[in-house]
C-alpha cells in the first residue's frame, strides 16, 4: 500500500492501493457498524430513526471520506516524470539525500538482523518454560538445556542396536541415564521405569562400563495445571521402584526454578554445585533442590 491510515495509537486501520499504469486508486476502509448500540432510536411515530450519536458519527465519517478524496485528487494532478527527465542536471541535494536514505536503509537492515538475533535468543530462553507444561521431545530438550546449565554433559548413545537418548555425566565423572515423561492430568506411573531400567542394564553390559549408571526419572505430572496446584507428581509405585533401583525422581517444575536462578545468576557456582549434589545424592525419592 502506498498510503496507510492509522488511528491515534498508531494502529493501521486502512490504506490506499495504487496500481501501476492504471487509473484510480483502491481505498481500503475499516468496517463501519451503523447498527451499533445507541445508533438507532424510536421516534414519536414509533419508527426507528438515526440517533443524534449516529448522525454525529456519520458526519465525521463523511468528512474523512471527503478528505481522502481530496488527497487522492491532489496527488493525481501530478504527471508522471517523462523518461528524458534524467538527462537534465539535478540539484546536488538530491544525491545528498539519496546518500542519507541509503545509510538509513543500511542501518535498518542491521537493526533487523539484530532484532532477529534477539528473537532467536528469546526463543531459546523461553524453551526452559517447557519444563512447566510440555511433554515428549520439547520436554526432553528443555531438560537437556537445564542439565547443561547445571554443568552436566548430556549426550545420546548410539552403538549398534543400543540407543540411549540421555547419558548424563557430572563434572565428577558420575554417569547417569535419564528418562522423562509428561502427563496431562495424572501422576507419572511405573511404566516409564521399564525403559529406564532396560537402558541402564544394556549400558552396563558394555565392556567399558564398570558400574551401572544411576537412573533419573524426570516427571511433569498434571502438566496442564499450574505447578502450585498439582498433586504429587509420582505414584507410590514409582517411588517404590525408585528405591528398588536406587534412582532419583525429579519434578521438571522444580528444575525450572533452578534454571531461572542460574539464568539470572550465571556466576552462582555454589548453587550450581549444590543442585548437582542434590541430584547425585538422592536415592529412591524425589530430589529436593536447595534454595538459591
Amino acid at each position: 500500500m502506498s498510503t496507510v491510515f492509522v488511528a491515534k495509537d498508531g494502529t493501521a486501520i486502512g490504506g490506499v492501493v495504487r496500481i501501476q499504469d492504471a487509473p484510480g486508486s483502491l481505498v481500503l476502509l475499516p468496517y463501519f457498524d451503523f447498527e451499533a448500540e445507541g445508533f438507532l432510536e424510536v421516534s414519536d411515530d414509533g419508527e426507528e430513526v438515526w440517533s443524534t450519536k449516529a448522525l454525529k458519527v456519520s458526519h465525521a465519517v463523511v468528512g474523512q471520506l471527503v478528505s481522502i478524496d481530496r488527497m487522492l485528487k491532489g496527488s493525481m494532478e501530478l504527471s508522471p516524470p517523462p523518461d528524458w527527465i534524467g538527462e537534465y542536471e539535478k540539484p546536488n541535494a538530491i544525491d545528498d539525500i539519496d546518500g542519507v536514505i541509503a545509510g538509513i536503509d543500511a542501518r535498518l537492515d542491521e537493526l533487523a538482523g539484530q532484532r532477529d538475533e534477539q528473537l532467536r535468543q528469546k526463543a531459546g530462553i523461553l524453551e526452559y518454560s517447557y519444563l512447566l507444561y510440555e511433554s515428549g521431545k520439547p520436554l526432553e530438550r528443555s531438560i537437556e538445556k537445564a542439565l547443561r546449565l547445571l554443568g552436566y554433559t548430556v549426550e545420546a548413545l548410539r552403538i549398534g542396536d543400543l540407543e540411549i537418548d540421555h547419558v548424563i555425566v557430572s563434572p565428577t565423572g558420575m554417569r547417569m541415564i535419564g528418562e522423562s515423561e509428561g502427563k496431562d492430568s495424572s501422576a507419572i506411573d511405573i511404566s516409564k521405569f521399564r525403559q529406564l531400567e532396560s537402558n541402564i542394564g544394556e549400558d552396563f553390559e558394555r565392556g567399558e562400563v564398570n558400574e551401572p549408571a544411576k537412573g533419573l526419572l524426570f516427571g511433569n505430572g498434571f502438566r496442564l495445571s499450574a505447578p502450585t496446584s498439582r498433586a504429587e507428581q509420582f505414584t507410590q509405585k514409582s517411588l517404590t521402584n525408585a528405591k528398588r533401583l536406587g534412582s532419583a525422581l525429579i519434578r521438571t517444575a522444580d528444575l525450572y526454578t533452578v534454571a531461572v536462578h542460574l539464568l539470572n545468576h550465571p556466576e552462582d557456582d555454589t548453587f550450581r554445585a549444590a543442585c548437582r549434589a542434590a541430584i547425585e545424592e538422592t536415592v529412591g525419592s524425589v530430589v529436593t533442590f536447595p534454595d538459591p
Side-chain angles (χ1 to χ4, degrees):
M1 283 187 291
S2 56
T3 304
V4 177
F5 308 137
V6 297
K8 291 181 179 179
D9 63 357
T11 303
I13 58 174
V16 177
V17 178
R18 291 188 176 90
I19 302 174
Q20 188 174 4
D21 300 327
S25 301
L26 176 63
V27 180
L28 305 177
L29 298 174
Y31 172 73
F32 297 109
D33 183 6
F34 289 108
E35 295 184 359
E37 184 177 356
F39 275 27
L40 295 174
E41 60 185 17
V42 179
S43 68
D44 294 337
D45 298 331
E47 297 181 355
E48 282 190 333
V49 296
W50 297 115
S51 65
T52 302
K53 176 182 177 181
L55 292 173
K56 183 178 179 180
V57 171
S58 68
H59 292 159
V61 171
V62 170
Q64 292 297 322
L65 293 176
V66 171
S67 297
I68 293 171
D69 181 62
R70 287 174 178 169
M71 178 195 71
L72 294 176
K73 286 181 177 178
S75 63
M76 289 179 182
E77 291 175 358
L78 296 175
S79 301
D83 295 338
W84 46 260
I85 195 67
E87 300 173 5
Y88 284 77
E89 182 182 4
K90 58 186 176 183
N92 293 334
I94 297 296
D95 290 333
D96 295 339
I97 293 172
D98 284 342
V100 172
I101 293 172
I104 293 172
D105 288 341
R107 180 59 178 156
L108 288 174
D109 289 341
E110 180 183 353
L111 289 173
Q114 293 177 8
R115 183 178 187 275
D116 289 343
E117 174 60 21
Q118 292 300 313
L119 288 173
R120 186 192 65 78
Q121 292 185 26
K122 178 182 176 181
I125 294 173
L126 284 175
E127 283 191 356
Y128 287 100
S129 66
Y130 296 170
L131 292 164
L132 297 174
Y133 65 89
E134 271 292 6
S135 62
K137 292 297 183 183
L139 179 62
E140 290 179 10
R141 289 199 306 271
S142 63
I143 291 170
E144 290 177 4
K145 287 170 69 77
L147 290 173
R148 291 190 178 103
L149 197 61
L150 281 168
Y152 290 107
T153 60
V154 185
E155 297 178 350
L157 182 64
R158 301 285 188 271
I159 302 176
D161 295 332
L162 177 61
E163 294 187 5
I164 301 176
D165 291 332
H166 308 295
V167 177
I168 305 157
V169 181
S170 169
T172 63
M174 182 178 184
R175 295 179 72 256
M176 294 170 282
I177 290 177
E179 283 290 332
S180 63
E181 186 171 27
K183 292 281 192 178
D184 292 359
S185 56
S186 62
I188 307 303
D189 57 34
I190 196 174
S191 61
K192 202 64 178 179
F193 268 106
R194 298 192 190 99
Q195 185 64 47
L196 180 60
E197 189 170 2
S198 174
N199 286 345
I200 293 172
E202 291 185 50
D203 176 67
F204 186 44
E205 289 177 4
R206 297 192 297 126
E208 62 270 34
V209 178
N210 298 319
E211 293 184 6
K214 178 178 180 176
L216 299 179
L217 180 58
F218 298 88
N220 196 19
F222 303 97
R223 68 185 184 92
L224 299 182
S225 301
T228 53
S229 66
R230 296 177 189 178
E232 177 52 55
Q233 295 187 45
F234 296 95
T235 64
Q236 185 57 49
K237 283 189 176 182
S238 292
L239 290 166
T240 300
N241 216 36
K243 292 178 182 178
R244 181 178 69 85
L245 296 174
S247 300
L249 307 176
I250 300 176
R251 292 183 287 251
T252 59
D254 294 346
L255 195 57
Y256 174 76
T257 303
V258 169
V260 169
H261 176 78
L262 289 176
L263 287 169
N264 293 338
H265 305 88
E267 76 291 344
D268 195 348
D269 289 332
T270 300
F271 178 72
R272 183 177 282 107
C275 289
R276 289 199 304 265
I279 292 173
E280 295 164 23
E281 295 172 8
T282 297
V283 177
S285 61
V286 177
V287 172
T288 300
F289 289 107
D291 293 327

